[in-house]
Amino acid sequence: MASRLKTDETYLWPDALSDDEVASFSSSEIVTVYPHRSAVPRDAWGRLFSDAENDIGILVYSGMFLAEDSEAQRALADRARAGVRVRLLFGDPESPQVAERGADEGIGEAMAAKVRNVLVLYKRLMAIDGVEARVHRTVLYNSIYFADDQVFVNTHVYGVPAYDAPIWHLRRIPGGEIVGTYMESFERVWEGARPLPTKG
């Protein structure tokens, strides 16, 4: 039946998998692990977004490095103009969560200032139809960047700046569970976040 439906049988009967099979599927969701965000090749970010056909999402406190990347900004704008839904989630600069992250990283109020700066840097992008932006007040355990089935997860480590923390490059596959976990987290934050005006 799975062949007739042209889908993997794990989509139809996920509970039929053994624990070993689940572990095997989950490990194959991992494309690569970078020891630090700064080790990710610069053009990898542009490629991540430029291949998207349906949905792009970014969940960060500030994500300053990406806002300053003209190639990534161009890819996001191009995809939005092509009809791809682009969702941007930033930390609320007035929130205690952003203040605490600034203290944890040893940069204090500079974290909130970075968020405000990023909102200015994304202003032209947010004016494009198809781009939605919100601010959140969550404790962010990971920054999440996704384009369709490809996901970059920047882990957050106490006392370590995000650029120095590891990144997982994941891909969604039939039977895998890791990507779904991060995507559910993104959606929860999105639902509880406050929309920003994105036009005008």
Side-chain angles (χ1 to χ4, degrees), residues 48-53 55-57 145-151:
L48 172 70
F49 301 129
S50 63
D51 290 340
E53 296 181 358
D55 199 15
I56 289 172
Y145 312 82
F146 72 86
D148 296 338
D149 292 335
Q150 300 290 320
V151 184

Side-chain angles (χ1 to χ4, degrees), residues 91-108:
D92 185 336
E94 306 298 331
S95 70
Q97 292 82 8
V98 167
E100 185 172 354
R101 182 64 186 175
D104 291 348
E105 288 193 7
I107 61 173

